[in-house]
Amino acid sequence: MRTHKVFIVFVFVVVWEVVAVLANSRFLPSPLHVGTTFWNLLSSGALFRHAAVSLARVLAGFLLALAVGLPLGVLMGWFPKMENLSVIIEMLRPIPPLAWIPLAMLWFGIGFQSKAFIIFIGAFFPILSNALLGVRETEPYLVEAGRVLGASDSQILRNIILPNSFPSILEGLRIGLGIAWMCLVAAELTGLNPPLGLGYLIMEARDLGRADTVMAGMIAIGVIGYAMNIALRQLEKRLVRWRP
Amino acid sequence: MITLEQVAKTIGELPILEAVSLSVKKGQFMCLVGPSGCGKTTLLKCIAGLRTYEGKIRIDGRLSQGINPKIGYVFQEFSLFPFLTVKGNMEFGLRIQKKPRKEMDDIVASLLDLFLLQGFEHAYPHELSGGMQKKVAIARALATDPEILLMDEPFVSLDAQTRNMLQKELLRIWNKTHKTILFITHNVDEAVFLADRVMVLTRRPATVKEEFLIDLERERDRTSPEFVSVRKEILKELEEEYVEQVDRGYKGL
Ligand SMILES: Nc1ncnc2c1ncn2[C@@H]1O[C@H](COP(=O)(O)OP(=O)(O)OP(=O)(O)O)[C@@H](O)[C@H]1O
Ligand SMILES: [Mg+2]
């Protein structure tokens, strides 16, 4: 299985190399060229600085989305009256997070808050709807089983509904984080202050016509997104051992 | 002791229960049989305080209001908390009652012994067989030591061998603990094997159709002439309900 994956990556790199040689264009650098640029960015610490700024923005927006989306989703699942809110939610959800960029710029300028806001929008909906779904799909007989054992409403929420929805909640976090990461890079493609971040790195390189730096930046974005997804999956496996 | 006086229940426009009156004496084992969909589960949930109803339900002479700690309930579904281990499930009610750790451990240990589940305390429900899950569900209901046990088709969907074994185990536990048991089943054979009294309910809306006293020595021999003859009588009553249901269905066409 593992050797399989390594082989596929190898084939991909070989095809890239061949195409790059055939195209012989300055805008399609060879894998070796991109690898060298990547290494230089890494060893100079530039990549790390850009990535750290991007991660900080994602973390801020993501935590905010978690702090608002999770409780709201749980409450909407638990109180039938709160569910009416879903009219608004369902109308806002189809708006792509990037469509919020102009408004974010008007409200928050082009700094940290503006980026964090876009990320918040991106991560908010999956976190909310997965929490809502988890709560709503808790089988009624589990709730009744708690009731006949004497549990109060708040005990049922804490000791039955929440743990039972936990896999769904975690799933929402994973999807939310993935979307947040994608939104971030797009948000960074627009104006920025301070001029840092992986999205900014790419845009700046484009202005300079440096396709190798663009690709190195893209690889960094892909690797970090991949790593975050894997990390959350591992966490899920660890925390939800009770699932078949 | 459970007493029902003229208990009725309507959901929307649909009458589910109609004038159900019956009483189960302390320490008695009563089975309810009735056609499927007639309202058995609804009746049991009314007694447990999980549903509203009209009429009167008394537990030990006192009018029942909401959930009663004297009542333990075993659900028709596989209703263990999937995120808790066997031990966690058994402890659930005890934790709610804020029992000290030591006492909880002792109770769980004795339940594991009683149900022959030693060694499985740290297993999660999905790691258990269907029969074991049913046993844990019964143990969970018994953990808080309720006087009354309401059981809704607890052995349905199990193979015949497991079912027979669990029936015997239940009788063993009943002999030990002297609980009052109200037990729903589709299976007339099961009812006659277990119960002191069998109540046959009508099709929906359910009401008591007929009562049978099963005055046979335990452990009962399912092939004895007495057993077979009571079984036949009950089946006959039950089949009448199904036939009428079918007749009505045709007329409705
Ligand atoms: N919440 C509900 N809303 C509407 N109808 C309901 C509801 N709960 C039960 N019913 C109806 O009430 C009737 C009795 O249901 P109940 O579950 O009590 O039957 P039962 O005798 O336990 O059936 P079974 O033998 O299949 O377990 C059924 O016709 C069912 O459709
Ligand atoms: Mg039922």
Side-chain angles (χ1 to χ4, degrees), chain B residues 41 76 152-153:
Chain B
T41 298
Q76 188 169 357
D152 193 351
E153 305 198 36

Side-chain angles (χ1 to χ4, degrees), chain B residues 32-250:
Chain B
L32 289 175
V33 297
S36 59
C38 76
K40 302 181 294 296
T41 298
T42 308
L43 182 64
L44 217 57
K45 288 193 173 169
C46 288
I47 299 172
L50 289 167
R51 295 281 183 278
T52 57
Y53 53 86
E54 286 147 53
K56 292 197 175 88
I57 297 180
R58 287 176 214 279
I59 306 296
D60 290 339
R62 295 185 49 179
L63 224 47
S64 141
Q65 284 163 329
I67 304 296
N68 191 325
K70 284 183 180 172
I71 295 178
Y73 196 105
V74 181
F75 288 80
Q76 188 169 357
E77 299 89 355
F78 285 90
S79 68
L80 293 179
F81 302 120
F83 46 87
L84 293 178
T85 58
V86 167
K87 187 163 189 278
N89 268 283
M90 289 179 176
E91 278 174 6
F92 193 92
L94 301 168
R95 278 178 187 276
I96 299 288
Q97 297 181 352
K98 301 211 159 53
K99 286 269 177 348
R101 183 73 261 168
K102 174 80 177 64
E103 195 180 335
M104 287 202 281
D105 286 344
D106 290 349
I107 292 173
V108 169
S110 67
L111 285 170
L112 289 167
D113 281 348
L114 191 64
F115 284 89
L116 311 171
L117 284 166
Q118 301 95 331
F120 286 95
E121 56 265 46
H122 300 301
Y124 284 98
H126 80 267
E127 298 166 324
L128 303 177
S129 70
M132 287 162 90
Q133 290 189 41
K134 294 289 184 184
K135 288 208 277 188
V136 178
I138 299 171
R140 178 177 70 180
L142 286 174
T144 52
D145 199 23
E147 289 168 28
I148 296 167
L149 201 53
L150 305 178
M151 307 178 82
D152 193 351
E153 305 198 36
F155 305 145
V156 78
S157 81
L158 298 175
D159 63 90
Q161 273 72 35
T162 312
R163 197 176 177 127
N164 287 354
M165 191 192 77
L166 289 179
Q167 288 167 359
K168 285 180 195 167
E169 268 185 63
L170 180 62
L171 285 179
R172 180 171 60 85
I173 289 159
W174 176 59
N175 269 328
K176 247 188 181 168
T177 58
H178 310 292
K179 306 272 180 214
T180 309
I181 299 183
L182 186 51
F183 185 109
I184 291 177
T185 175
H186 266 110
N187 187 323
V188 175
D189 180 78
E190 178 168 77
V192 177
F193 185 76
L194 292 173
D196 298 318
R197 290 158 68 204
V198 177
M199 292 280 185
V200 180
L201 300 178
T202 63
R203 65 180 181 279
R204 193 187 71 216
T207 190
V208 178
K209 179 182 167 78
E210 192 64 69
E211 174 181 348
F212 292 85
L213 265 162
I214 317 290
D215 199 9
L216 298 175
E217 196 71 27
R218 289 186 178 89
E219 172 182 330
R220 293 170 183 163
D221 174 2
R222 294 174 206 265
T223 55
S224 75
E226 298 88 350
F227 192 104
V228 173
S229 105
V230 192
R231 211 184 124 210
K232 261 191 189 150
E233 279 180 65
I234 297 176
L235 268 174
K236 194 168 144 273
E237 293 288 330
L238 201 54
E239 266 161 19
E240 275 176 22
E241 291 306 306
Y242 277 101
V243 168
E244 281 188 45
Q245 204 160 16
V246 172
D247 278 353
R248 276 204 316 187
Y250 281 129

Side-chain angles (χ1 to χ4, degrees), chain A residues 16 40 48 64 84 94-95 100 112 123 131 142 170 180 188 198 205 229:
Chain A
W16 178 4
N40 288 340
F48 182 75
L64 195 63
N84 295 325
I95 303 172
W100 288 86
F112 182 84
L142 290 186
L170 269 184
E188 284 179 346
L198 291 170
N229 197 22

